[in-house]
Amino acid sequence: MSKLIINNYEEFAAKLGQNLGTSDWVELSQERINLFADATLDHKWIHVDTEKAKTDSPYNTTIAHGYLTLSMLPHMWNQIIEVNNLKMMVNYGMDKMKFGQAVKSGESIRLVADLHSIVNLRGTVKAEIKFSIEIKDQKKKALEGIAMFLYYFE
């Protein structure tokens, strides 16, 4: 997979309405889920208690935190695109974000991204990326929404 290379606003704006790419698959292992639980202090049994989840969970296994799934977005986004000539890039917000299906421990996810809108605000470029996070071998998406980034080109 080759990254999309963007060097300025004009190149970015030329991609409006287009698919920007798809990331590699990333496994959400039980170890990653446990580390996320430690980092966020969210140790609900549905995420970390593998024995209880076998019998008490409707999934018959533990599931990744929804916010763990979301937190993988920057890593996967960086696999899709390389934006050059920047002073900095800032995460600006999320819109219309919806969790569609739980990600079971051991399943893999990937990001699919389209350029939804882009505007140059006096040198600051606001890009809205329509994204979906897919689960390998599943029809329903784990997460969909619009991620907004501010790009400060040099």
Side-chain angles (χ1 to χ4, degrees), residues 45-61:
W45 68 266
I46 193 86
H47 304 303
V48 298
D49 189 336
T50 56
E51 291 307 309
K52 182 175 176 127
K54 285 178 187 175
T55 56
D56 293 2
S57 166
Y59 307 101
N60 300 315
T61 187

Side-chain angles (χ1 to χ4, degrees), residues 89-95 121 124-128 146-152:
M89 186 276 284
V90 176
N91 294 318
Y92 186 65
M94 294 285 176
D95 199 13
L121 307 167
T124 301
V125 174
K126 179 182 171 191
E128 295 185 351
I146 297 173
M148 294 171 275
F149 302 110
L150 298 179
Y151 291 93
Y152 296 84

